[in-house]
Amino acid sequence: MPSERITIPITDIRHHEINPVTTADILKGVTSKPRYMPSLLLYDTQGLQYFAKITEAKDYYSTQSEVSILEEHAQEITGTVTADSVFLELGAGDLSKTGVLISALEAQKKPVVFFALDVDYPELKRSLEELVTSIQPQFVECRGLLGTYDDCATWLKQDAKLTLAPLTIVWLGSSIANLDMLEARDLLSRFVGLSPRNRRMIVAVDGCAEEQRIRRAYDLAGGQSRQFVMNGLCHANRIIGSEQFCNTDWIFQGSYRRSERTFYSSVVALRKVTLNFHGVHATIEKGEEIVLIKSAKWSAKHLSGICKTAKVHVSDSWSNPHGYGVYELQADGQMDRKAQTAPKPSVPGQG
């Protein structure tokens, strides 16, 4: 008999145009100094498939480190997720790592609603279907959300039921460190710091300080990093509606800036390039760089500093010897879960 078709509800929560990146966004970036393009350009259907290949590479330690930590501590990380609560992942990707946590919730027989957020509908649908087919959850109800981080923060604030429900937000892949510190602070504040006191966040952060290890991971010898970044130019062309970025005019460049503890993934012009769109001319000289994504390496101390300004604190953590960590964050003033689950001291004369 043919297998039953899986239907998973996906809610479109976008409050912008169909594409989260506009022509104006691209123009603003390429005419700025230093030049950049929105990193969301990297995450169309093709880009997500390229990134999945990156995560499978032996030298890409991030995925391996994270899976190892999650597998070892999954029961503890999910232990305080309450029944009838909400479990939400930001930038879900292929959901392979999240599956470890969903399996732990299943083992605990907790009825939970799981939302996976991402910006590309085909890949979100495919990933959710593969997750449900693989795990066949009986207690965790899986749903999708189509939108950006900003869309999600707005949606959570506007939904009265979600405002009251206990909520665990998962943010894996060290994606928080693709943002500037101020952007990261603002999102932490919106999701946890200024939110109801029944929320917590599980965030993964790469604190690796081994430069050669970082270089090998983010400029893979097999060319996967180049494919991923160069595809961003193709996506930009589709949004603009004309071929402004010809791949033969550009080359991928990966560079680690030690003073910033940040790896930059960019394209560099092989010749003088003139862009003409949205009524504006922009000239990129030979050798000029356009940054598409940054990957900072934040230690636990760096993360704590960002959290402090967001009115959030680290309440628990799990890490490996290379500095990769998974951290539990809660709003300031909220009792840490360790304190909540600690045994009460005995009272003299009782018990």
mmCIF file of all heavy atoms in Angstrom, residues 282-329:
data_model
loop_
_atom_site.group_PDB
_atom_site.id
_atom_site.type_symbol
_atom_site.label_atom_id
_atom_site.label_comp_id
_atom_site.label_asym_id
_atom_site.label_seq_id
_atom_site.Cartn_x
_atom_site.Cartn_y
_atom_site.Cartn_z
ATOM 1 N N ALA A 282 26.307 52.220 -9.685
ATOM 2 C CA ALA A 282 27.323 51.952 -8.663
ATOM 3 C C ALA A 282 28.501 51.262 -9.324
ATOM 4 O O ALA A 282 28.321 50.281 -10.058
ATOM 5 C CB ALA A 282 26.742 51.079 -7.556
ATOM 6 N N THR A 283 29.697 51.778 -9.090
ATOM 7 C CA THR A 283 30.905 51.203 -9.679
ATOM 8 C C THR A 283 31.709 50.492 -8.603
ATOM 9 O O THR A 283 32.036 51.069 -7.570
ATOM 10 C CB THR A 283 31.771 52.289 -10.332
ATOM 11 O OG1 THR A 283 31.018 52.923 -11.369
ATOM 12 C CG2 THR A 283 33.033 51.681 -10.925
ATOM 13 N N ILE A 284 31.996 49.215 -8.854
ATOM 14 C CA ILE A 284 32.820 48.414 -7.951
ATOM 15 C C ILE A 284 34.168 48.224 -8.635
ATOM 16 O O ILE A 284 34.246 47.660 -9.734
ATOM 17 C CB ILE A 284 32.195 47.032 -7.667
ATOM 18 C CG1 ILE A 284 30.693 47.155 -7.390
ATOM 19 C CG2 ILE A 284 32.929 46.347 -6.530
ATOM 20 C CD1 ILE A 284 30.336 47.892 -6.138
ATOM 21 N N GLU A 285 35.221 48.730 -8.041
ATOM 22 C CA GLU A 285 36.547 48.639 -8.646
ATOM 23 C C GLU A 285 37.112 47.224 -8.519
ATOM 24 O O GLU A 285 36.724 46.463 -7.618
ATOM 25 C CB GLU A 285 37.501 49.633 -7.980
ATOM 26 C CG GLU A 285 37.104 51.094 -8.133
ATOM 27 C CD GLU A 285 37.152 51.592 -9.567
ATOM 28 O OE1 GLU A 285 37.870 50.955 -10.396
ATOM 29 O OE2 GLU A 285 36.492 52.605 -9.876
ATOM 30 N N LYS A 286 38.022 46.886 -9.411
ATOM 31 C CA LYS A 286 38.705 45.596 -9.351
ATOM 32 C C LYS A 286 39.361 45.423 -7.974
ATOM 33 O O LYS A 286 40.031 46.321 -7.481
ATOM 34 C CB LYS A 286 39.769 45.519 -10.445
ATOM 35 C CG LYS A 286 40.554 44.204 -10.448
ATOM 36 C CD LYS A 286 41.601 44.192 -11.541
ATOM 37 C CE LYS A 286 42.407 42.898 -11.503
ATOM 38 N NZ LYS A 286 43.443 42.866 -12.577
ATOM 39 N N GLY A 287 39.118 44.261 -7.346
ATOM 40 C CA GLY A 287 39.706 43.977 -6.039
ATOM 41 C C GLY A 287 38.833 44.391 -4.868
ATOM 42 O O GLY A 287 39.144 44.047 -3.717
ATOM 43 N N GLU A 288 37.730 45.124 -5.131
ATOM 44 C CA GLU A 288 36.837 45.521 -4.034
ATOM 45 C C GLU A 288 36.029 44.323 -3.535
ATOM 46 O O GLU A 288 35.644 43.440 -4.308
ATOM 47 C CB GLU A 288 35.893 46.637 -4.463
ATOM 48 C CG GLU A 288 36.503 48.028 -4.381
ATOM 49 C CD GLU A 288 35.434 49.111 -4.352
ATOM 50 O OE1 GLU A 288 34.910 49.410 -3.265
ATOM 51 O OE2 GLU A 288 35.123 49.644 -5.433
ATOM 52 N N GLU A 289 35.729 44.361 -2.254
ATOM 53 C CA GLU A 289 35.059 43.249 -1.585
ATOM 54 C C GLU A 289 33.621 43.627 -1.225
ATOM 55 O O GLU A 289 33.334 44.753 -0.823
ATOM 56 C CB GLU A 289 35.837 42.908 -0.306
ATOM 57 C CG GLU A 289 35.187 41.894 0.604
ATOM 58 C CD GLU A 289 35.922 41.744 1.932
ATOM 59 O OE1 GLU A 289 36.531 42.744 2.388
ATOM 60 O OE2 GLU A 289 35.866 40.656 2.519
ATOM 61 N N ILE A 290 32.712 42.656 -1.386
ATOM 62 C CA ILE A 290 31.345 42.790 -0.883
ATOM 63 C C ILE A 290 31.110 41.639 0.082
ATOM 64 O O ILE A 290 31.191 40.466 -0.292
ATOM 65 C CB ILE A 290 30.303 42.741 -2.013
ATOM 66 C CG1 ILE A 290 30.528 43.872 -3.014
ATOM 67 C CG2 ILE A 290 28.889 42.828 -1.429
ATOM 68 C CD1 ILE A 290 29.539 43.855 -4.190
ATOM 69 N N VAL A 291 30.836 41.951 1.334
ATOM 70 C CA VAL A 291 30.635 40.932 2.370
ATOM 71 C C VAL A 291 29.200 40.409 2.294
ATOM 72 O O VAL A 291 28.244 41.181 2.240
ATOM 73 C CB VAL A 291 30.911 41.508 3.774
ATOM 74 C CG1 VAL A 291 30.603 40.466 4.858
ATOM 75 C CG2 VAL A 291 32.349 41.978 3.884
ATOM 76 N N LEU A 292 29.051 39.082 2.312
ATOM 77 C CA LEU A 292 27.712 38.490 2.318
ATOM 78 C C LEU A 292 27.327 37.928 3.687
ATOM 79 O O LEU A 292 26.160 37.937 4.043
ATOM 80 C CB LEU A 292 27.572 37.404 1.254
ATOM 81 C CG LEU A 292 27.186 37.977 -0.117
ATOM 82 C CD1 LEU A 292 28.417 38.311 -0.931
ATOM 83 C CD2 LEU A 292 26.263 37.050 -0.866
ATOM 84 N N ILE A 293 28.287 37.439 4.445
ATOM 85 C CA ILE A 293 27.949 36.934 5.776
ATOM 86 C C ILE A 293 29.191 36.932 6.657
ATOM 87 O O ILE A 293 30.314 36.709 6.184
ATOM 88 C CB ILE A 293 27.327 35.518 5.703
ATOM 89 C CG1 ILE A 293 26.716 35.130 7.056
ATOM 90 C CG2 ILE A 293 28.323 34.486 5.215
ATOM 91 C CD1 ILE A 293 25.818 33.910 6.983
ATOM 92 N N LYS A 294 28.987 37.208 7.940
ATOM 93 C CA LYS A 294 30.059 37.171 8.935
ATOM 94 C C LYS A 294 29.743 36.083 9.959
ATOM 95 O O LYS A 294 28.571 35.859 10.285
ATOM 96 C CB LYS A 294 30.180 38.519 9.652
ATOM 97 C CG LYS A 294 30.494 39.683 8.739
ATOM 98 C CD LYS A 294 30.668 40.973 9.532
ATOM 99 C CE LYS A 294 29.363 41.428 10.162
ATOM 100 N NZ LYS A 294 29.509 42.747 10.845
ATOM 101 N N SER A 295 30.772 35.434 10.453
ATOM 102 C CA SER A 295 30.604 34.404 11.480
ATOM 103 C C SER A 295 31.564 34.708 12.625
ATOM 104 O O SER A 295 32.753 34.393 12.552
ATOM 105 C CB SER A 295 30.890 33.013 10.900
ATOM 106 O OG SER A 295 30.045 32.749 9.795
ATOM 107 N N ALA A 296 31.025 35.348 13.661
ATOM 108 C CA ALA A 296 31.859 35.707 14.814
ATOM 109 C C ALA A 296 32.030 34.510 15.740
ATOM 110 O O ALA A 296 31.196 33.603 15.775
ATOM 111 C CB ALA A 296 31.235 36.877 15.562
ATOM 112 N N LYS A 297 33.113 34.527 16.485
ATOM 113 C CA LYS A 297 33.406 33.468 17.452
ATOM 114 C C LYS A 297 33.368 34.082 18.855
ATOM 115 O O LYS A 297 34.314 34.749 19.276
ATOM 116 C CB LYS A 297 34.778 32.836 17.167
ATOM 117 C CG LYS A 297 34.917 32.323 15.732
ATOM 118 C CD LYS A 297 33.832 31.314 15.401
ATOM 119 C CE LYS A 297 33.671 31.083 13.919
ATOM 120 N NZ LYS A 297 32.470 30.312 13.593
ATOM 121 N N TRP A 298 32.253 33.889 19.539
ATOM 122 C CA TRP A 298 32.031 34.522 20.834
ATOM 123 C C TRP A 298 32.258 33.533 21.968
ATOM 124 O O TRP A 298 31.682 32.447 21.985
ATOM 125 C CB TRP A 298 30.596 35.050 20.934
ATOM 126 C CG TRP A 298 30.287 36.179 20.007
ATOM 127 C CD1 TRP A 298 31.181 36.998 19.377
ATOM 128 C CD2 TRP A 298 28.982 36.619 19.589
ATOM 129 N NE1 TRP A 298 30.520 37.925 18.597
ATOM 130 C CE2 TRP A 298 29.174 37.724 18.710
ATOM 131 C CE3 TRP A 298 27.689 36.206 19.868
ATOM 132 C CZ2 TRP A 298 28.103 38.397 18.122
ATOM 133 C CZ3 TRP A 298 26.623 36.870 19.288
ATOM 134 C CH2 TRP A 298 26.837 37.960 18.435
ATOM 135 N N SER A 299 33.087 33.941 22.903
ATOM 136 C CA SER A 299 33.289 33.139 24.102
ATOM 137 C C SER A 299 32.076 33.296 25.015
ATOM 138 O O SER A 299 31.190 34.136 24.777
ATOM 139 C CB SER A 299 34.543 33.614 24.830
ATOM 140 O OG SER A 299 34.353 34.951 25.299
ATOM 141 N N ALA A 300 32.044 32.505 26.082
ATOM 142 C CA ALA A 300 30.962 32.619 27.064
ATOM 143 C C ALA A 300 30.934 34.027 27.661
ATOM 144 O O ALA A 300 29.865 34.579 27.943
ATOM 145 C CB ALA A 300 31.154 31.580 28.161
ATOM 146 N N LYS A 301 32.114 34.633 27.810
ATOM 147 C CA LYS A 301 32.196 35.991 28.354
ATOM 148 C C LYS A 301 31.567 37.001 27.389
ATOM 149 O O LYS A 301 30.847 37.910 27.807
ATOM 150 C CB LYS A 301 33.660 36.354 28.606
ATOM 151 C CG LYS A 301 33.861 37.715 29.274
ATOM 152 C CD LYS A 301 35.326 37.972 29.570
ATOM 153 C CE LYS A 301 35.515 39.344 30.223
ATOM 154 N NZ LYS A 301 36.959 39.596 30.512
ATOM 155 N N HIS A 302 31.852 36.840 26.091
ATOM 156 C CA HIS A 302 31.244 37.723 25.086
ATOM 157 C C HIS A 302 29.722 37.622 25.135
ATOM 158 O O HIS A 302 29.006 38.623 25.111
ATOM 159 C CB HIS A 302 31.709 37.340 23.671
ATOM 160 C CG HIS A 302 33.084 37.823 23.341
ATOM 161 N ND1 HIS A 302 34.159 36.983 23.236
ATOM 162 C CD2 HIS A 302 33.561 39.070 23.082
ATOM 163 C CE1 HIS A 302 35.239 37.677 22.923
ATOM 164 N NE2 HIS A 302 34.905 38.941 22.830
ATOM 165 N N LEU A 303 29.219 36.374 25.170
ATOM 166 C CA LEU A 303 27.776 36.167 25.187
ATOM 167 C C LEU A 303 27.152 36.778 26.433
ATOM 168 O O LEU A 303 26.103 37.432 26.347
ATOM 169 C CB LEU A 303 27.455 34.675 25.115
ATOM 170 C CG LEU A 303 25.958 34.328 25.166
ATOM 171 C CD1 LEU A 303 25.222 34.904 23.960
ATOM 172 C CD2 LEU A 303 25.761 32.815 25.252
ATOM 173 N N SER A 304 27.785 36.600 27.571
ATOM 174 C CA SER A 304 27.248 37.160 28.820
ATOM 175 C C SER A 304 27.151 38.678 28.747
ATOM 176 O O SER A 304 26.199 39.278 29.261
ATOM 177 C CB SER A 304 28.126 36.750 30.006
ATOM 178 O OG SER A 304 28.039 35.360 30.226
ATOM 179 N N GLY A 305 28.141 39.309 28.090
ATOM 180 C CA GLY A 305 28.118 40.759 27.939
ATOM 181 C C GLY A 305 26.949 41.225 27.092
ATOM 182 O O GLY A 305 26.289 42.223 27.406
ATOM 183 N N ILE A 306 26.669 40.489 26.004
ATOM 184 C CA ILE A 306 25.530 40.825 25.151
ATOM 185 C C ILE A 306 24.223 40.619 25.908
ATOM 186 O O ILE A 306 23.310 41.441 25.851
ATOM 187 C CB ILE A 306 25.549 39.959 23.873
ATOM 188 C CG1 ILE A 306 26.788 40.277 23.043
ATOM 189 C CG2 ILE A 306 24.284 40.186 23.036
ATOM 190 C CD1 ILE A 306 27.041 39.293 21.923
ATOM 191 N N CYS A 307 24.157 39.523 26.639
ATOM 192 C CA CYS A 307 22.948 39.210 27.404
ATOM 193 C C CYS A 307 22.648 40.291 28.442
ATOM 194 O O CYS A 307 21.483 40.672 28.640
ATOM 195 C CB CYS A 307 23.105 37.865 28.110
ATOM 196 S SG CYS A 307 23.030 36.438 27.002
ATOM 197 N N LYS A 308 23.676 40.787 29.078
ATOM 198 C CA LYS A 308 23.489 41.781 30.133
ATOM 199 C C LYS A 308 22.760 43.010 29.612
ATOM 200 O O LYS A 308 21.864 43.547 30.280
ATOM 201 C CB LYS A 308 24.844 42.171 30.726
ATOM 202 C CG LYS A 308 24.746 43.119 31.916
ATOM 203 C CD LYS A 308 26.123 43.391 32.505
ATOM 204 C CE LYS A 308 26.019 44.333 33.713
ATOM 205 N NZ LYS A 308 27.366 44.608 34.306
ATOM 206 N N THR A 309 23.122 43.457 28.408
ATOM 207 C CA THR A 309 22.489 44.649 27.846
ATOM 208 C C THR A 309 21.080 44.357 27.326
ATOM 209 O O THR A 309 20.305 45.279 27.071
ATOM 210 C CB THR A 309 23.337 45.237 26.699
ATOM 211 O OG1 THR A 309 23.491 44.251 25.669
ATOM 212 C CG2 THR A 309 24.711 45.646 27.210
ATOM 213 N N ALA A 310 20.749 43.058 27.170
ATOM 214 C CA ALA A 310 19.422 42.662 26.699
ATOM 215 C C ALA A 310 18.499 42.291 27.851
ATOM 216 O O ALA A 310 17.376 41.832 27.627
ATOM 217 C CB ALA A 310 19.536 41.491 25.733
ATOM 218 N N LYS A 311 18.988 42.469 29.095
ATOM 219 C CA LYS A 311 18.230 42.108 30.303
ATOM 220 C C LYS A 311 17.935 40.608 30.337
ATOM 221 O O LYS A 311 16.843 40.152 30.694
ATOM 222 C CB LYS A 311 16.937 42.920 30.408
ATOM 223 C CG LYS A 311 17.160 44.432 30.477
ATOM 224 C CD LYS A 311 15.880 45.184 30.729
ATOM 225 C CE LYS A 311 16.101 46.702 30.720
ATOM 226 N NZ LYS A 311 17.109 47.137 31.709
ATOM 227 N N VAL A 312 18.948 39.848 29.935
ATOM 228 C CA VAL A 312 18.887 38.392 29.887
ATOM 229 C C VAL A 312 20.145 37.854 30.548
ATOM 230 O O VAL A 312 21.175 38.533 30.580
ATOM 231 C CB VAL A 312 18.810 37.912 28.406
ATOM 232 C CG1 VAL A 312 18.935 36.412 28.300
ATOM 233 C CG2 VAL A 312 17.513 38.382 27.766
ATOM 234 N N HIS A 313 20.072 36.648 31.105
ATOM 235 C CA HIS A 313 21.281 36.055 31.692
ATOM 236 C C HIS A 313 21.366 34.577 31.324
ATOM 237 O O HIS A 313 20.372 33.951 30.961
ATOM 238 C CB HIS A 313 21.290 36.212 33.222
ATOM 239 C CG HIS A 313 20.183 35.458 33.908
ATOM 240 N ND1 HIS A 313 18.914 35.967 34.044
ATOM 241 C CD2 HIS A 313 20.152 34.226 34.483
ATOM 242 C CE1 HIS A 313 18.145 35.104 34.680
ATOM 243 N NE2 HIS A 313 18.871 34.033 34.954
ATOM 244 N N VAL A 314 22.594 34.044 31.393
ATOM 245 C CA VAL A 314 22.824 32.620 31.150
ATOM 246 C C VAL A 314 22.477 31.860 32.417
ATOM 247 O O VAL A 314 23.060 32.097 33.473
ATOM 248 C CB VAL A 314 24.292 32.358 30.753
ATOM 249 C CG1 VAL A 314 24.539 30.860 30.595
ATOM 250 C CG2 VAL A 314 24.653 33.095 29.466
ATOM 251 N N SER A 315 21.520 30.945 32.318
ATOM 252 C CA SER A 315 21.095 30.184 33.493
ATOM 253 C C SER A 315 21.659 28.767 33.521
ATOM 254 O O SER A 315 21.636 28.108 34.560
ATOM 255 C CB SER A 315 19.561 30.131 33.559
ATOM 256 O OG SER A 315 19.020 29.641 32.348
ATOM 257 N N ASP A 316 22.171 28.301 32.386
ATOM 258 C CA ASP A 316 22.808 26.991 32.336
ATOM 259 C C ASP A 316 23.601 26.904 31.042
ATOM 260 O O ASP A 316 23.368 27.692 30.105
ATOM 261 C CB ASP A 316 21.771 25.861 32.398
ATOM 262 C CG ASP A 316 22.330 24.599 33.050
ATOM 263 O OD1 ASP A 316 23.567 24.490 33.154
ATOM 264 O OD2 ASP A 316 21.529 23.723 33.440
ATOM 265 N N SER A 317 24.535 25.966 30.962
ATOM 266 C CA SER A 317 25.322 25.837 29.737
ATOM 267 C C SER A 317 25.939 24.450 29.636
ATOM 268 O O SER A 317 26.143 23.756 30.640
ATOM 269 C CB SER A 317 26.431 26.894 29.697
ATOM 270 O OG SER A 317 27.351 26.702 30.758
ATOM 271 N N TRP A 318 26.217 24.068 28.395
ATOM 272 C CA TRP A 318 26.850 22.797 28.078
ATOM 273 C C TRP A 318 27.849 23.080 26.960
ATOM 274 O O TRP A 318 27.503 23.702 25.951
ATOM 275 C CB TRP A 318 25.806 21.787 27.599
ATOM 276 C CG TRP A 318 24.672 21.610 28.566
ATOM 277 C CD1 TRP A 318 24.566 20.675 29.565
ATOM 278 C CD2 TRP A 318 23.465 22.396 28.639
ATOM 279 N NE1 TRP A 318 23.384 20.834 30.239
ATOM 280 C CE2 TRP A 318 22.687 21.877 29.705
ATOM 281 C CE3 TRP A 318 22.972 23.484 27.920
ATOM 282 C CZ2 TRP A 318 21.442 22.415 30.060
ATOM 283 C CZ3 TRP A 318 21.742 24.028 28.269
ATOM 284 C CH2 TRP A 318 20.985 23.496 29.325
ATOM 285 N N SER A 319 29.087 22.655 27.091
ATOM 286 C CA SER A 319 30.102 23.017 26.092
ATOM 287 C C SER A 319 31.108 21.899 25.886
ATOM 288 O O SER A 319 31.140 20.916 26.636
ATOM 289 C CB SER A 319 30.833 24.297 26.525
ATOM 290 O OG SER A 319 31.478 24.100 27.767
ATOM 291 N N ASN A 320 31.947 22.074 24.839
ATOM 292 C CA ASN A 320 33.013 21.114 24.588
ATOM 293 C C ASN A 320 34.371 21.791 24.785
ATOM 294 O O ASN A 320 34.441 23.011 24.978
ATOM 295 C CB ASN A 320 32.871 20.496 23.184
ATOM 296 C CG ASN A 320 33.161 21.490 22.065
ATOM 297 O OD1 ASN A 320 33.675 22.581 22.285
ATOM 298 N ND2 ASN A 320 32.838 21.097 20.832
ATOM 299 N N PRO A 321 35.472 21.039 24.741
ATOM 300 C CA PRO A 321 36.790 21.627 25.002
ATOM 301 C C PRO A 321 37.239 22.677 23.990
ATOM 302 O O PRO A 321 38.165 23.447 24.253
ATOM 303 C CB PRO A 321 37.727 20.410 24.964
ATOM 304 C CG PRO A 321 36.853 19.237 25.272
ATOM 305 C CD PRO A 321 35.533 19.558 24.643
ATOM 306 N N HIS A 322 36.606 22.720 22.809
ATOM 307 C CA HIS A 322 36.997 23.680 21.767
ATOM 308 C C HIS A 322 36.246 25.005 21.874
ATOM 309 O O HIS A 322 36.408 25.881 21.023
ATOM 310 C CB HIS A 322 36.768 23.076 20.380
ATOM 311 C CG HIS A 322 37.650 21.899 20.089
ATOM 312 N ND1 HIS A 322 38.991 22.020 19.796
ATOM 313 C CD2 HIS A 322 37.372 20.558 20.064
ATOM 314 C CE1 HIS A 322 39.507 20.815 19.591
ATOM 315 N NE2 HIS A 322 38.547 19.927 19.750
ATOM 316 N N GLY A 323 35.422 25.162 22.878
ATOM 317 C CA GLY A 323 34.732 26.429 23.090
ATOM 318 C C GLY A 323 33.349 26.524 22.479
ATOM 319 O O GLY A 323 32.719 27.583 22.518
ATOM 320 N N TYR A 324 32.864 25.414 21.897
ATOM 321 C CA TYR A 324 31.494 25.441 21.353
ATOM 322 C C TYR A 324 30.522 25.212 22.498
ATOM 323 O O TYR A 324 30.661 24.265 23.261
ATOM 324 C CB TYR A 324 31.302 24.369 20.292
ATOM 325 C CG TYR A 324 30.185 24.713 19.328
ATOM 326 C CD1 TYR A 324 30.470 25.258 18.083
ATOM 327 C CD2 TYR A 324 28.850 24.532 19.669
ATOM 328 C CE1 TYR A 324 29.453 25.607 17.197
ATOM 329 C CE2 TYR A 324 27.837 24.872 18.807
ATOM 330 C CZ TYR A 324 28.137 25.411 17.576
ATOM 331 O OH TYR A 324 27.131 25.772 16.715
ATOM 332 N N GLY A 325 29.535 26.080 22.619
ATOM 333 C CA GLY A 325 28.629 25.983 23.750
ATOM 334 C C GLY A 325 27.162 26.073 23.372
ATOM 335 O O GLY A 325 26.796 26.707 22.380
ATOM 336 N N VAL A 326 26.336 25.421 24.153
ATOM 337 C CA VAL A 326 24.881 25.554 24.080
ATOM 338 C C VAL A 326 24.457 26.160 25.408
ATOM 339 O O VAL A 326 24.786 25.630 26.469
ATOM 340 C CB VAL A 326 24.194 24.195 23.852
ATOM 341 C CG1 VAL A 326 22.672 24.335 23.911
ATOM 342 C CG2 VAL A 326 24.621 23.612 22.502
ATOM 343 N N TYR A 327 23.760 27.285 25.345
ATOM 344 C CA TYR A 327 23.450 28.066 26.544
ATOM 345 C C TYR A 327 21.942 28.208 26.727
ATOM 346 O O TYR A 327 21.201 28.405 25.769
ATOM 347 C CB TYR A 327 24.059 29.468 26.432
ATOM 348 C CG TYR A 327 25.557 29.468 26.261
ATOM 349 C CD1 TYR A 327 26.127 29.348 24.989
ATOM 350 C CD2 TYR A 327 26.409 29.580 27.355
ATOM 351 C CE1 TYR A 327 27.504 29.341 24.814
ATOM 352 C CE2 TYR A 327 27.791 29.584 27.194
ATOM 353 C CZ TYR A 327 28.333 29.457 25.916
ATOM 354 O OH TYR A 327 29.695 29.452 25.755
ATOM 355 N N GLU A 328 21.518 28.131 27.962
ATOM 356 C CA GLU A 328 20.131 28.423 28.295
ATOM 357 C C GLU A 328 20.060 29.860 28.801
ATOM 358 O O GLU A 328 20.817 30.245 29.694
ATOM 359 C CB GLU A 328 19.622 27.483 29.380
ATOM 360 C CG GLU A 328 18.177 27.769 29.765
ATOM 361 C CD GLU A 328 17.737 26.940 30.960
ATOM 362 O OE1 GLU A 328 18.185 27.248 32.086
ATOM 363 O OE2 GLU A 328 16.961 25.988 30.782
ATOM 364 N N LEU A 329 19.175 30.655 28.210
ATOM 365 C CA LEU A 329 19.025 32.050 28.590
ATOM 366 C C LEU A 329 17.634 32.284 29.162
ATOM 367 O O LEU A 329 16.641 31.736 28.679
ATOM 368 C CB LEU A 329 19.217 32.966 27.365
ATOM 369 C CG LEU A 329 20.465 32.747 26.507
ATOM 370 C CD1 LEU A 329 20.490 33.766 25.374
ATOM 371 C CD2 LEU A 329 21.734 32.832 27.341
#
